[in-house]
Amino acid sequence: MLRTIRLRLTLSHLAVIVLAMVLSGLLLLSFLERYFLQAAEESLAAQARITTQALLPGAIVEGPSLETEPEEPLWAPAINAVQQQRVSNLALQAQNVAVPTPEPAPADGELDLSFLADASLQLSSQLETRIRILDAGGVVQVDSQSEGQGADLRNDPLVRQALAGEYASSNDRAMHVAMPATVDGRLVGVVYLSQPLDDLTAVIADLRSRWLLATGIALLLSGAAGLLLSGAIARPVRRLTAAAGRVAEGQLDQQVPVSSQDELGRLSQAFNEMVARLRAARQMQTDFVANVSHELRTPLTALKGTVETLRDGAVDDRQVRDRFLETVESETDRLIRLVNDLLTLSRADSGALDLRPEATDLVALVRATVERLGPQAERRKVALQVDARPDCPLAWADPDRLQQVLVNLLDNAIKYARPGSTVTAVCTLASEPAVGGEPERQALVQVQDEGPGIPAEKLSRIGQRFYRADQARSREDGGSGLGLAIARALVQAHGGRLWVESEEGVGTVVSFTLPALGPAH
């Protein structure tokens, strides 16, 4: 159930629409119903005042004011506008009413309202309002519908509350309002008005049916929009899923179209880049295996030929035997170096290099390495020198691994330097921007030679495993092509960076940085 992202997106889209429509509809209908009920109540209160003014001069009815109260709801201005319009259109026609000359009401008696018994009332506005006027005992003196005249309504809850001097109202199928009438602060009767709510019920029912129809239409339209939107989202996901499945099967030629710049577009772009890296990694792996096989085949072939020659009788010739044993020893050493280099690279790739960092004096380490390689430089007629700047700091590094880096770099420089030229090892302080943008103290070491330089088209490949810029050199002179790769891996393991700069015909500079601790002296 709900296995596809398209279905889940569509249903979630519809759920949001339904929730929004239901909440908005309920709030709107509730607001309108409350508005109409309050408007009806205010209308009845206005009619009660008009009736009282016409029939009971000097009497005052207690009830809600037509003017805005300080704490009334936000929709009160609309209600007041409607009520003002209704009140202005109201007029009362009273027939057969003999209003007596106003006299003070007796202090301990009730005002006689019997003069209203023959009154006939009619509102000029076309409102189905029933007006009843009760005396202070709760007996109906006037009924606009002439049905309940003389009835005793003292037990009616609204009349009972009005006789107690309080305004009362209720609504069920009709709106009822009971308002006490007083003269000089003394209760003389009750004005009791009723108005059916059939119109209000019909309006609310009509609004509810229209709201349900609008909700249904909105669901249909939002469902169609949800299907289109979810399809636009799910389509690239399906393409990515299919392409990822084919990549898992080994088909690394997969590419997915990037049709947008949103998250899905960036995901597609990242997938394409990932596949490109996988292709490059596979090619690198293939090249690596081929290069290792080639590098191993040469010394192994030499060893096999030497052993076969010795077995064929050369072992009896002492001079030939010694020369062949030297060859065996040389090729064995070469195999050991190659295996050790491969092991170092493998550990660096897996992050398993066993580093033992400590505060290292770079100047002393550079001088010791130069001294160690001095005989090799003399044989090639190359001068070695150290340029130790006063600001060269201490570095937090493994001295053995760092010396391995220096040996590889100086050995390459000596091999490629022209006879009579100079190889210089520089040690100084460099400031490079850190990740946060603030300068970070860095120790900088450079190995500069005056060799033929590296062509610009080959410079980007320098440092790749088994790559040699001068393919014409023998492996004895040019090495296996792993030295610079090992040096870069070791520097990066220390948190530093290694790079190569070269100008053809001028020379090459290999630089690397390491985190600095402080001044050496």
Side-chain angles (χ1 to χ4, degrees):
M1 185 178 181
L2 302 181
R3 290 184 177 180
T4 63
I5 188 173
R6 183 176 188 183
L7 182 57
R8 289 199 296 271
L9 287 173
T10 302
L11 292 180
S12 62
H13 180 74
L14 289 178
V16 172
I17 297 298
V18 169
L19 182 61
M21 292 294 294
V22 168
L23 289 178
S24 61
L26 292 178
L27 290 174
L28 179 60
L29 291 176
S30 175
F31 163 75
L32 290 176
E33 186 174 7
R34 184 174 179 182
Y35 163 72
F36 285 131
L37 287 175
Q38 188 168 350
E41 183 176 352
E42 294 285 352
S43 177
L44 290 181
Q47 296 173 51
R49 288 184 173 87
I50 293 175
T51 302
T52 303
Q53 293 171 5
L55 299 180
L56 301 174
I60 300 175
V61 290
E62 302 293 337
S65 174
L66 289 177
E67 298 181 359
T68 304
E69 299 290 342
E71 297 182 356
E72 61 189 354
L74 294 176
W75 56 85
I79 295 176
N80 290 335
V82 174
Q83 293 311 321
Q84 294 296 336
Q85 183 177 2
R86 287 185 173 183
V87 171
S88 64
N89 292 330
L90 285 175
L92 182 71
Q93 296 179 2
Q95 299 178 354
N96 303 324
V97 180
V99 181
T101 301
E103 295 181 358
D108 56 352
E110 298 177 353
L111 182 66
D112 186 8
L113 300 182
S114 59
F115 67 90
L116 297 175
D118 297 327
S120 175
L121 303 177
Q122 182 180 3
L123 289 167
S124 63
S125 179
Q126 298 301 316
L127 300 175
E128 299 177 2
T129 303
R130 181 180 183 181
I131 303 175
R132 286 173 285 184
I133 300 178
L134 289 66
D135 61 16
V139 178
V140 178
Q141 299 297 322
V142 178
D143 188 342
S144 63
Q145 295 184 359
S146 303
E147 295 178 357
Q149 193 164 349
D152 189 352
L153 300 181
R154 284 178 297 178
N155 294 326
D156 187 301
L158 298 182
V159 174
R160 187 165 56 248
Q161 187 174 347
L163 290 175
E166 298 179 1
Y167 168 80
S169 65
S170 69
N171 63 83
D172 40 28
R173 293 181 178 274
M175 173 65 69
H176 303 281
V177 170
M179 303 174 68
T182 60
V183 175
D184 296 331
R186 182 173 299 144
L187 180 72
V188 298
V190 173
V191 181
Y192 193 7
L193 291 87
S194 302
Q195 181 177 321
L197 297 177
D198 296 338
D199 291 343
L200 171 61
T201 304
V203 170
I204 296 297
D206 181 63
L207 289 175
R208 186 177 292 110
S209 63
R210 291 174 183 272
W211 167 68
L212 291 174
L213 177 62
T215 301
I217 295 174
L219 286 178
L220 290 177
L221 294 178
S222 61
L227 287 174
L228 294 175
L229 178 62
S230 60
I233 295 175
R235 197 175 302 112
V237 174
R238 286 198 300 269
R239 286 199 297 261
L240 281 170
T241 303
R246 288 190 289 270
V247 169
E249 295 173 357
Q251 303 178 30
L252 298 182
D253 58 343
Q254 301 300 310
Q255 290 284 295
V256 293
V258 180
S259 56
S260 65
Q261 298 299 322
D262 56 10
E263 288 82 356
L264 288 174
R266 291 195 292 271
L267 178 60
S268 301
Q269 182 65 35
F271 176 84
N272 293 337
E273 293 174 357
M274 179 194 70
V275 173
R277 291 193 182 99
L278 286 175
R279 284 199 303 268
R282 172 179 283 186
Q283 185 62 42
M284 186 180 298
Q285 181 183 17
T286 302
D287 295 342
F288 181 78
V289 172
N291 289 327
V292 169
S293 301
H294 182 71
E295 293 292 334
L296 291 176
R297 182 177 58 189
T298 302
L300 290 176
T301 301
L303 288 174
K304 180 177 176 59
T306 302
V307 171
E308 290 176 351
T309 303
L310 290 174
R311 183 180 296 171
D312 290 340
V315 69
D316 296 330
D317 188 335
R318 183 179 180 86
Q319 186 176 0
V320 174
R321 181 188 64 189
D322 292 342
R323 182 163 51 84
F324 280 9
L325 288 176
E326 289 179 2
T327 301
V328 170
E329 183 179 13
S330 174
E331 296 298 332
T332 303
D333 290 340
R334 181 177 170 186
L335 284 173
I336 292 174
R337 288 195 303 270
L338 179 60
V339 171
N340 287 337
D341 289 347
L342 293 175
L343 183 60
T344 300
L345 286 174
S346 176
R347 288 175 176 173
D349 291 340
S350 61
L353 281 173
D354 185 18
L355 297 179
R356 295 180 176 85
E358 60 184 54
T360 303
D361 187 343
L362 291 178
V363 175
L365 188 62
V366 169
R367 292 187 186 279
T369 307
V370 167
E371 184 177 351
R372 173 181 170 182
L373 297 178
Q376 178 182 342
E378 290 180 2
R379 288 194 300 270
R380 292 183 173 270
K381 299 179 181 180
V382 173
L384 284 179
Q385 67 178 18
V386 177
D387 182 6
R389 310 285 172 81
D391 60 354
C392 185
L394 297 175
W396 186 252
D398 184 335
D400 294 335
R401 293 296 189 182
L402 198 54
Q403 188 173 55
Q404 186 177 357
V405 172
L406 291 169
V407 168
N408 281 336
L409 299 185
L410 289 170
D411 180 68
N412 279 342
I414 293 171
K415 288 178 179 178
Y416 286 94
R418 292 189 296 267
S421 63
T422 301
V423 172
T424 305
V426 181
C427 182
T428 185
L429 175 69
S431 295
E432 294 184 350
V435 177
E438 297 181 358
E440 179 183 354
R441 284 173 54 85
Q442 297 276 330
L444 173 65
V445 178
Q446 294 179 315
V447 176
Q448 306 171 353
D449 66 51
E450 298 174 356
I454 303 172
E457 65 274 10
K458 296 182 178 181
L459 189 59
S460 60
R461 298 192 59 187
I462 295 298
Q464 294 182 6
R465 298 172 187 185
F466 295 105
Y467 179 77
R468 293 180 300 149
D470 189 356
Q471 301 291 338
R473 285 178 176 263
S474 66
R475 282 175 170 76
E476 287 75 12
D477 292 334
S480 62
L482 294 176
L484 194 57
I486 292 174
R488 174 172 283 140
L490 292 176
V491 169
Q492 290 175 349
H494 283 84
R497 186 171 68 93
L498 184 146
W499 67 97
V500 180
E501 299 170 297
S502 184
E503 183 177 352
E504 198 169 1
V506 177
T508 302
V509 179
V510 182
S511 308
F512 68 89
T513 58
L514 294 171
L517 289 179
H521 304 289

